[in-house]
Amino acid sequence: MSAISLPTDISRRRDRRRGYAESLKGWTFVSPAALLLMLIYLVPLAMLLALSVTDYQLGAVVTGFVGLDNFERAFADPVFQRAFSNTLLYVAIVIPFGVGLALVIAILIHQRRRTRSLYEIIYFLPVTATLVAMATVWQFILHPRLGPVNKLLQTLGLPETHFLSDPALIVPTLAAIGVWQVVGFNVILFLAGLTAIPRELYDAARVDGASAPLDRFLTVTWPQLGPTTMFVTVTTSITAFKVFETVAVLTKGQRGTEVLLYAIYLEGFQYFEMGYAAALTLVFMTFVLLLSVWQTFHLDRRVHY
Amino acid sequence: MTLGLELRGLDKSFEPENPVLRGIDLSIRRGEFVSLVGSSGCGKSTLLRIIAGLEQADGGRVAIDGREVTYLEPKARRIAMVFQSYALYPHMTVAANIATPLIMSRLHFLARLPLLGALAPGRRQVRSTIDRAVEEVADQLEIRPLLGRKPAQLSGGQRQRVALARAMVRQPSLFLMDEPLSNLDAKLRVHMRGELTDLHRRVGATFVYVTHDQVEAMTMSDRIALMERGAILQFGTPSELYSAPANLRVAQFIGTPSINCFPAEIDSAGTVSCLGRPVSGMVTSETRQRASLAVRPESIRLSARSEDVVFGATLRRIEHHGSEYILFAEPQGRDQLVRIRVSGAALEGQPLAEGQALTIAFSAADAHLFGSDDRRMDVSLFDAPVRLQSA
Ligand SMILES: Nc1ncnc2c1ncn2[C@@H]1O[C@H](COP(=O)(O)OP(=O)(O)OP(=O)(O)O)[C@@H](O)[C@H]1O
Ligand SMILES: [Mg+2]
């Protein structure tokens, strides 16, 4: 027996040594990517977590551990609550219009042959423009006395409307600008989805009797666009949750128009409450993450076949 | 008797300088199985799409079952179509796929809507008749167990059957199929060939079947329309196309291995000569032109009879096909391989080796003569006891 066990023993040891060498090689290959991932994503996230349980203020000398106080304060804070509901309203307007309008426009453009790329460029322009700069343009357009929108309303005999100072109108107005900003990108995504639908499916639908535009849409286009629609909806909602520039330029959060990101910005960079801002950021991130995961899983089941 | 499908002078071009269909005329009897064959790009699919109403012809008429349908939408033509990619709706179950044509034709628009539809009066009864029709067709094609699945969960052959079921369910008088078997593997294709022929017999509808596979066309069809560059070269039964091709290109398209072509001349007296030697007993009424003499591989013999056209040749290659052999021989002084089909029995006790000298021969009665415009020429044959010596 020993004559047999000896060589296996040696080979097992050799195997183990080869195993170490193998895994060392593996770690070497993985390390650059792992290191970057750590530095760029995981370390900042960990620091955020750490900050959120302290009362750290920018430039403060002493910093103490406060546990979950920051979170308790956040949920009791009327400003944060207002920011939360404003953001929800904003998102609730931007998602259906930003997605629906883009779908309609994409279908209309898709039917054009020669002018298609012209329309693509026109609708894509807002995506390339800096929102901060464009926000000032919107400020002019919506100005109560000088803006063309109010001129138009006046000629129609409607009263002067203060889009950017009437508390009931501010968030919907910001949302409209948000829609204007995301539609172009979504149109491009939907156009890519439309191009990928096989022509034979439309032919089959026509032979089967689905030749009216709405029948064709319900039988072929809409189901075939499922994966695209899901992607567009998820990215649009993330973009919408991150609304910041228009608020910063147009209202500065006055008259109760704080949104989540703007509230965080105020706490962190105006009042230097870094610990509190970190807690708000964490709440914000968790919320967006949960929503995206829910959307993905919920829609995924109905979209893929 | 009315025709199942009648095409008169169909023209179509996508670009003005490049006509895709040029004056297509076709009369197909009710219940006939007709194949459209031709090389890639000759306009088969375009013609089928015009018959279906998916494409509008630039000129000409289409009539189905004696009814003019030239300007009707596909759904009004009482046709069904099977596509090369099957074109099943991927998000629907098999049952819903098959039911779609019936839902579209029998349910009112409001009754088809996803939620509101449930409120429409009479919807329940219509749905149950549709479900029964779907199950009936599924039974015929033996796909009943698959009704709850999505197309992505089916094999190629099963998808094919679902596509057929969707076509059959509304009992059309005309079936249009665009290369429905080309996505299947060789064995399944042979099997489905038989099933399609059975199906045609059972439903008794008119079938127009596009393929570029001449074997499919020859084995399944009552008649074949052979197309080239937007025109029909010949329309006839498989045996007519094989034994009396109307055009050199028909002769070349039909038959494997393909027909042998020899350059020929016709002198002022109408006598035909091939490769510089007169063909005994072959005379035509047309005179003075270049021509081609075409001979099927099985009509070429390795032993000469007195009235034959005879060549000396060198054997270049032998292919074994089980019960028969295909020989490739190079005639002396010509850069051409002649294909010869011989049965295994005929070669028994006569071993052949590549490189050996052969005498190959055919009789004028087995040769087809085509003029310089590739059209078949009428010939009169008489027995001439003149023996033509080979070079
Ligand atoms: N929508 C179109 N626009 C422009 N040209 C087209 C269109 N459809 C077909 N053609 C052209 O018409 C010709 C015939 O096409 P068709 O699809 O009918 O050929 P086919 O005989 O079905 O060939 P295959 O065996 O490859 O399917 C081709 O030259 C093709 O390029
Ligand atoms: Mg084709």
Side-chain angles (χ1 to χ4, degrees), chain A residues 199-212 214-215 218-220 223-224 304-305, chain B residues 49 53-54 73-75 81 83-85 87-92 101 104 109 112 152 166 170:
Chain A
R199 192 177 72 143
E200 281 200 343
L201 269 186
Y202 284 111
D203 289 343
R206 229 174 122 191
V207 172
D208 286 346
S211 44
L214 196 59
D215 278 328
L218 288 176
T219 319
V220 180
Q224 285 285 301
H304 287 116
Y305 10 85
Chain B
R49 291 169 58 80
L54 291 169
E73 264 289 300
K75 63 177 172 186
M81 189 154 172
F83 295 86
Q84 182 173 358
S85 65
L88 300 174
Y89 309 115
H91 61 287
M92 293 185 192
M104 287 296 163
F109 175 74
R112 294 200 300 264
R166 185 175 64 178
R170 69 183 132 170

Side-chain angles (χ1 to χ4, degrees), chain A residues 199, chain B residues 14-15 18 20-21 38-47 49 55 84 178-179 210-212 227:
Chain A
R199 192 177 72 143
Chain B
F14 293 101
E15 299 133 11
N18 217 345
V20 173
L21 296 179
S39 49
S40 189
C42 69
K44 308 181 293 289
S45 299
T46 306
L47 180 56
R49 291 169 58 80
E55 206 86 65
Q84 182 173 358
D178 194 350
E179 311 202 19
V210 165
T211 177
H212 58 246
M227 290 179 63

